[in-house]
């Protein structure tokens, strides 16, 4: 059941002159008791409904998926497209999970992630890191191995952690760490949970796709994060991206790669050049793959978050309507 209450009715909850005896007043008292921990000088701080994409899967994750991609399934939990598509599926990586975050004004991204992981677990899907061989994919540079105090790539253990990316118009516009205040996260556009290596000498690089257009570029495809390690060359990162996208080396060799923002770009033409030659690049640039678009790929509208009406259909609770 979903109850709407006009703001002008809130004084009734305090037993004012307009309050009535009987069952109606009992309802007000019940609502007041339910909201007592979230009422503040700024008004009720009600739970916030959010829809977030998981790192893998497709479709809307519900209890119906239990056993299809979870602990009781023979299919690996981190296998892409692990959920059946539905009429509401987005042409984007990641199963959709709707969560309700209590006290959002005082919550952090970690609080939301914890609720999201628990919700996914209840639906039979544990969010697990990708296999190490898939995540790293290739031999790591000697410079990085020395910094990490290991001798061989096989000895290195990535410090896997979760962050939340905001996806807008085929780009990753923001990356939110666990400590970031949830109240400062823009929910107009899609949010997605992503794995990254938290090692201080590992970089999480946003990657997006474009194709040439007249005097410009046309953005397309589904953006993602790729791990890049200190000292790593352009050619090595290209091979890791090929593994992530499941394309062969000959195909990806034909794609131009560059650092890009709205003001300037730096082509990555030398395969033996260090990709992250200046860590400051990561603050203002994305890594762009110039390639032909997929006709079945997502459009700009697919990056808008589900509408409030769609969320309210999935959630029960109380809404305060301002007069």
């Amino acid at each position: 059941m979903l109850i709407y209450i006009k703001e002008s009715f809130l004084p009734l909850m305090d037993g004012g002159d307009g309050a009535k005896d009987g069952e109606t007043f009992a309802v007000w008292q019940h609502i007041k008791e339910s909201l007592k921990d979230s009422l503040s000088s700024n008004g009720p701080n009600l739970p916030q409904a959010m829809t977030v994409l998981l790192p893998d899967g497709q479709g809307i994750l519900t209890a119906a998926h239990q056993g299809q991609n979870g602990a009781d399934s023979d299919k690996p939990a981190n296998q892409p497209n692990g959920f059946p598509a539905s009429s509401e599926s987005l042409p984007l990586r990641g199963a959709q999970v709707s969560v309700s975050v209590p006290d959002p004004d005082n919550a952090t991204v970690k609080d939301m992630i914890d609720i999201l992981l628990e919700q996914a677990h209840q639906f039979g899907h544990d969010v697990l890191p990708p296999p190490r061989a898939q995540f790293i994919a290739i031999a790591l540079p000697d410079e990085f191995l020395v910094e990490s105090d290991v001798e061989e790539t096989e000895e290195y253990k990535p410090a896997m952690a979760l962050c939340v990316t905001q996806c807008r118009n085929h780009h990753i516009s923001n990356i939110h760490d666990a400590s970031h205040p949830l109240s400062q996260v823009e929910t107009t556009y899609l949010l997605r949970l992503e794995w990254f290596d938290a090692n201080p000498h590992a970089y999480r690089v946003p990657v997006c796709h474009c194709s040439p257009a007249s005097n410009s570029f046309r953005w397309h495809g589904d953006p993602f994060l790729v791990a890049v390690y200190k000292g790593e060359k352009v050619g090595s990162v290209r091979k890791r991206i090929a593994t992530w996208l499941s394309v062969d080396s000959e195909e990806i060799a034909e794609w131009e790669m560059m650092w890009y923002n709205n003001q300037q770009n730096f082509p990555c033409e030398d395969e033996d050049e260090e990709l992250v030659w200046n860590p400051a690049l990561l603050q203002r640039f994305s890594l762009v793959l110039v390639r032909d678009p997929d006709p079945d790929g997502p459009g700009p509208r697919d990056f808008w978050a589900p509408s409030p009406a769609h969320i309210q259909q999935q959630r029960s609770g109380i809404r305060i309507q301002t007069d």
Side-chain angles (χ1 to χ4, degrees), residues 156-194:
Y156 175 68
K157 296 180 180 179
M160 301 303 292
L162 286 165
C163 63
V164 172
T165 59
Q166 183 180 64
C167 302
R168 175 180 180 179
N169 192 26
H170 307 285
H171 290 78
I172 292 177
S173 55
N174 282 296
I175 302 175
H176 301 299
D177 287 309
S179 60
H180 191 80
L182 190 62
S183 59
Q184 296 179 16
V185 174
E186 172 61 59
T187 57
T188 304
Y189 297 95
L190 278 178
L191 301 174
R192 177 154 53 200
L193 208 59
E194 293 278 26

Side-chain angles (χ1 to χ4, degrees), residues 90-102:
L90 295 172
L92 296 165
R93 170 179 53 89
Q96 303 171 58
V97 181
S98 293
V99 296
S100 181
V101 180

Side-chain angles (χ1 to χ4, degrees), residues 183-305:
S183 59
Q184 296 179 16
V185 174
E186 172 61 59
T187 57
T188 304
Y189 297 95
L190 278 178
L191 301 174
R192 177 154 53 200
L193 208 59
E194 293 278 26
W195 289 103
F196 71 100
D197 188 348
N199 187 303
H201 302 297
Y203 307 119
R204 53 185 181 187
V205 177
V207 183
C208 55
H209 312 261
C210 76
S211 57
S214 57
N215 300 321
S216 154
F217 297 103
R218 175 177 175 265
W219 303 102
H220 61 84
D222 192 356
F224 60 95
L225 291 181
V226 67
V228 176
Y229 294 90
K230 184 175 181 179
E232 203 156 30
K233 309 301 183 184
V234 170
S236 296
V237 177
R238 189 186 294 273
K239 292 177 182 177
R240 182 173 297 119
I241 292 174
T243 299
W244 173 263
L245 296 177
S246 298
V247 299
D248 60 45
S249 57
E250 293 182 358
E251 179 179 357
I252 200 170
E254 298 177 356
W255 301 350
E256 181 184 351
M257 200 157 64
M258 62 182 175
W259 291 105
Y260 177 91
N261 68 12
N262 291 330
Q263 284 75 42
Q264 58 187 144
N265 63 78
F266 300 106
C268 304
E269 297 174 335
D270 186 349
E271 297 292 290
D272 295 322
E273 181 183 22
E274 187 172 345
L275 180 67
V276 185
W277 41 269
N278 184 350
L281 283 169
L282 303 177
Q283 300 175 12
R284 300 186 295 116
F285 290 81
S286 293
L287 188 63
V288 174
L289 304 174
V290 183
R291 55 177 297 197
D292 292 333
D294 179 357
D296 298 322
R301 293 291 302 177
D302 292 319
F303 292 93
W304 287 84

Side-chain angles (χ1 to χ4, degrees), residues 107-127:
T108 64
V109 168
K110 182 181 184 303
D111 296 324
M112 186 268 286
I113 290 177
D114 289 343
I115 296 172
L116 184 67
L117 296 180
E118 178 60 27
Q119 182 81 19
H121 175 74
Q122 291 178 4
F123 289 157
H125 178 73
D126 290 326
V127 178

Side-chain angles (χ1 to χ4, degrees), residues 22 31 102:
I31 294 172

